[in-house]
Amino acid sequence: MFNLIKMDVYRLLHAVSTWVMMGIMVLIAVVCVGATHADLNAMAEDPVYTEQATSTAEDEVVYGIVMDTDPEWIHGDVPASQMLGLLLNSGILMIFCAVFVSLFVGAEHHSGYLKNIAGQLPYRGQLALSKFIAIAVEVLLMFAIYAVFCIASGYIFFGEQFTLGSVSGLFKMLGTQYLLHLGFSALIMFLCMFTGSTAFGMGAGILGCSGLTSLLYSGINWVVQKIHSGVNFDFGRYMLDTNVYAISGASASSDVFRAVLVACIFAVLAVGFSALVMQRRDIK
């Protein structure tokens, strides 16, 4: 098992897509912080724009990648924990998890790696576990590069206005978001293994990051409330994407605990079902 994990991590670190991912993470971090800086400047110059942006963030359900900006940053400090939290709430890293995890998992189907290694294993389900560990390394790299370059860009764009803020809040938020994104990546891994299609896993992942799933959750809430009138039930609270959109450096401990629990449950189930698929499938 250890040798299998080493092979998967080796393949990950030597894959072209991994180096492309690292470069894109650097670029995206700089662009996101630069866009936040430009948005703050626009708010400072146009109070009407500030009012419209605030009302949109509070009153409307938006779809796609939307990065919010706190108007209080115009004349106050810009804490790293709050800025990174809002950037991650946009779901932008979820999209890259969907893309790069799909590419990594799908590559072995096209290269013949599975066919060569599967016959040497007494239990082929180990392939799913080793893949998940390699994916955990990949997501960790994404988070580390994105966080470091966001903070570095923050000091460049905002100067003394940019602060680390609450270090404990920063690490709590990053750790929780990492687990949520890892759970999401495990789900993408399962979809790729179950369908044998890189495109399906990637497409489903990107669709899941679009915010359209909120319509599904609203429908489930409506059905539950019709069956049990008076029950205040929110299905989205127990889904990965809605927790990614909600967790920030200021989140309550109960919300963080729920998000961690949701992430762990999704990861365990996704890896378990992936192992079952690999064990029962004929590798060709």
Side-chain angles (χ1 to χ4, degrees):
M1 183 63 189
F2 180 70
N3 289 333
L4 191 60
I5 293 172
K6 284 203 306 183
M7 283 192 293
D8 275 326
V9 173
Y10 178 86
R11 288 178 57 248
L12 169 70
L13 297 179
H14 288 78
V16 174
S17 61
T18 301
W19 294 98
V20 172
M21 175 200 73
M22 293 180 183
I24 290 178
M25 285 299 100
V26 174
L27 178 62
I28 290 297
V30 176
V31 169
C32 286
V33 177
T36 300
H37 182 260
D39 200 31
L40 277 178
N41 288 339
M43 287 182 174
E45 295 172 1
D46 187 358
V48 175
Y49 172 71
T50 303
E51 184 177 350
Q52 291 175 343
T54 304
S55 62
T56 298
E58 294 178 351
D59 301 331
E60 296 182 12
V61 177
V62 293
Y63 302 102
I65 301 301
V66 178
M67 290 179 285
D68 292 326
T69 303
D70 191 341
E72 293 183 1
W73 297 345
I74 297 175
H75 302 294
D77 291 338
V78 181
S81 57
Q82 293 182 21
M83 186 188 71
L84 265 171
L86 287 177
L87 293 178
L88 291 172
N89 290 157
S90 69
I92 190 167
L93 283 197
M94 289 178 69
I95 286 184
F96 289 105
C97 285
V99 172
F100 289 114
V101 169
S102 297
L103 290 175
F104 175 62
V105 175
E108 65 186 18
H109 292 278
H110 302 295
S111 65
Y113 170 80
L114 276 182
K115 183 178 180 180
N116 293 331
I117 198 70
Q120 306 175 31
L121 299 174
Y123 178 64
R124 292 203 301 267
Q126 297 176 54
L127 290 167
L129 181 57
S130 66
K131 196 71 57 196
F132 174 72
I133 294 174
I135 287 172
V137 174
E138 181 175 28
V139 178
L140 182 62
L141 282 174
M142 292 175 64
F143 261 74
I145 294 171
Y146 187 73
V148 167
F149 279 90
C150 275
I151 292 174
S153 300
Y155 282 111
I156 293 172
F157 281 102
F158 295 102
E160 295 182 355
Q161 190 181 3
F162 187 80
T163 64
L164 280 179
S166 171
V167 177
S168 60
L170 175 63
F171 281 100
K172 179 180 73 173
M173 180 273 297
L174 286 176
T176 307
Q177 287 284 9
Y178 169 74
L179 291 176
L180 287 168
H181 283 74
L182 182 58
F184 178 75
S185 299
L187 180 60
I188 298 302
M189 177 187 75
F190 165 69
L191 292 176
C192 289
M193 289 183 173
F194 180 72
T195 63
S197 170
T198 300
F200 182 86
M202 191 182 301
I206 293 174
L207 185 62
C209 303
S210 66
L212 293 175
T213 50
S214 61
L215 298 175
L216 174 62
Y217 304 155
S218 297
I220 294 175
N221 293 339
W222 181 84
V223 171
V224 171
Q225 290 169 7
K226 284 294 183 182
I227 297 174
H228 301 284
S229 59
V231 174
N232 186 17
F233 177 75
D234 185 1
F235 185 77
R237 286 165 56 88
Y238 309 101
M239 293 293 104
L240 290 167
D241 54 337
T242 48
N243 278 283
V244 168
Y245 302 148
I247 292 298
S248 67
S251 295
S253 297
S254 58
D255 293 331
V256 171
F257 177 77
R258 185 189 67 249
V260 170
L261 188 61
V262 167
C264 292
I265 290 174
F266 267 90
V268 170
L269 290 178
V271 174
F273 282 120
S274 297
L276 187 61
V277 167
M278 297 305 296
Q279 180 64 23
R280 296 191 173 185
R281 171 173 294 168
D282 291 332
I283 306 296
K284 298 179 180 181

